[in-house]
Amino acid sequence: MCGIIGYIGDRPAQPILLNGLRRLEYRGYDSCGIVTFLAQKNSLSVRKLAGKIRELEKILRKRPLRGNLGLGHNRWATHGVPNQVNAHPHTDCSQEIALVHNGIIENYESLKSQLLREGHDFKSQTDTEVIVHLIEKFYKYIPLEEAVRKSLKLLVGSFAIGVISKREPEKLVGARQGSPLIVGLGKNENFLASDAPAILDYTKEVIFLEESEVVTLTKDKIKITDLDGKEVIRQSTKISWDIVQAERQGYKHFMLKEINEQPIIMEHLLEMRIKKDTSQIIFAEQKIPEEKLKNIKHIFIVACGTAYHAGLVGKYILESICKLPVQIDVSSEFRYRKLVLDEDTLVIAISQSGETADTLAGVREAKKQKILVLSFCNVLGSTLTRESDGVIYTHAGPEIGVASTKAYTAQLACLYLFGLYLAGIKGLLSSTKINAGLQELKKVPKLQEAILRRQGEIAALARRYAYFGSFLYLGRNLNYPSALEGALKLKEISYIPAEGYPAGEMKHGPIALIDEYRAVVCINPESRVYTKMFSNIQEIKSRGGRIIALATEGDTKIKELTKEVIYLPKIDEFFSPLLVALPLQLLAYHIAVKRGCDVDQPRNLAKSVTVE
Ligand code: G6P
């Protein structure tokens, strides 16, 4: 959701800014723009529009922007419709300062009225524009970074900004409060970005800014300060994955590539997390002492979207093997509930990006109550990882497709491993039992590969169902969350109304929807609830619903109910969500492709929802 790239150095800024914006496209956006400083004319020039980067490129081919200092931005509209005027960069009244901004300024209305009274001239409907006018107001006899610091003290909300000024063209200023911002270190050049992929073509050495920090970049130096101007020293980090991992590598879409990466990710995760030739589970980066985890009596899981569905599976896992009461809520509810959390509660926050505003707010709420927070996260150094007491990295690599796939199964794998680990330290599972669980988990990569080898069949099935007007997904027990996730995948990328339901609840409502126009995906691998689910499928069949069943290889009985069966390899039912996810992702993917949808960047959605 929104993306920032900034450049200062010896090279022409325009291609670097455009490349950075393309790398950030996956986060979702509706408008884009860049600004550069042209020394010969001593002026800032902006090109921006509502639409995609390829349209911006067309304009820039005709009217290029020269200069070695600049900012770029992808906007995802919050205040003001997506149009050219509201697109970033924004400039002040005298066109001296240009600014890009991610996030929301909550008190922009009162600031705007004040600035209007003081004679500032506003062009857009955005909250962003108040920041550039505020900076203008303070930018009389002080350096740009000081005017930024003064302005920041008046802003309420969660945001990150990049600012340049033609009065001081040797610097680029950035600041963060609630939204991520990183500095990329180069030789005779430096970068500012909201997300690492934007700059990985140029450098892997980055500094993650902390809350309320302001950075001043020149081409060969960076200086970070707090809001009072006190210098802060931050170590740089080397990003371990490179841009190749963020390329499509011959796949038609990132989503398809990411679906196909799941077996290898799973294999690496298990190799990394299980000490060779033992049943010892290692979370090297996890800082909460074992003793504290051992004494945990309750767990509360918070997450959004797909990560919430992973959390729901986690609830089943942790309840069944760790014998703990586990509650779960979507972060946007959790953060506003009047929660009374016991001190022996562990809050588990799950997030691919580690920047989701509601999840961060939930975590902050828990921390306020002095509750221990463990996060499961995919992005190194993200805000969530820095605010939690402990972190378990999910190591799925960069996920570019807006609809989450590989990050989900990596979250599941980590939850299984954590469940086994916790049950072990609590003395609830013997090492033999843990080992048996790990052996079953180790089968997963090969079994996922077997599913992927049959993607042609799933694609053909998807094409037969691509024009159904609505879908219902049903599952029970651990695969009830799989049903929710399957439905979410479909609606996210194909825009077909889809609903996930626990099959046992069908009689309490959804059954009224069943007729021959309704496609019903029934998840029924071998399990102790198999016959219950079988009866539910019979009920659907007798009402004319069009059934797509997921069942275990060798299940011929299911064929009595439907000829549309996607077979899954055999696995202990406890681990079945790790397999079920794949055909459901492929089904959604191929339906969306058949319908001509923009799979990697579905309309209105953002990869990382950094505003409330
Ligand atoms: C957005 C994305 C989803 C993601 C959710 C939570 O809605 O489109 O794919 O599951 O945010 O994001 P997180 O980064 O916290 O996992």
Side-chain angles (χ1 to χ4, degrees), residues 161-174:
I161 57 170
V163 196
I164 58 174
S165 151
K166 70 176 190 185
R167 201 196 304 168
E168 295 175 89
E170 70 291 351
K171 61 173 76 154
L172 162 58
V173 176

Side-chain angles (χ1 to χ4, degrees), residues 304-307 350-354 356 359 402-404 411 492 606-607 609:
C304 301
T306 291
I350 308 174
S351 171
Q352 187 285 127
S353 62
T356 304
T359 304
V402 165
S404 185
Q411 284 160 353
E492 277 180 316
K607 180 74 189 154
V609 180

Side-chain angles (χ1 to χ4, degrees), residues 313-377:
V313 178
K315 174 180 159 75
Y316 284 86
I317 298 171
L318 296 166
E319 279 176 350
S320 78
I321 58 177
C322 302
K323 313 277 180 250
L324 287 173
V326 182
Q327 293 189 69
I328 175 163
D329 210 344
V330 286
S331 317
S332 52
E333 287 301 313
F334 177 88
R335 64 183 289 189
Y336 290 116
R337 278 170 67 176
K338 296 270 172 275
L339 282 165
V340 185
L341 297 170
D342 290 330
E343 55 184 18
D344 42 16
T345 300
L346 173 71
V347 164
I348 294 182
I350 308 174
S351 171
Q352 187 285 127
S353 62
E355 302 295 349
T356 304
D358 283 323
T359 304
L360 289 174
V363 162
R364 287 172 190 150
E365 200 45 52
K367 301 279 306 170
K368 234 194 262 163
Q369 295 193 35
K370 305 216 169 6
I371 301 296
L372 213 51
V373 176
L374 171 64
S375 60
F376 285 62
C377 189

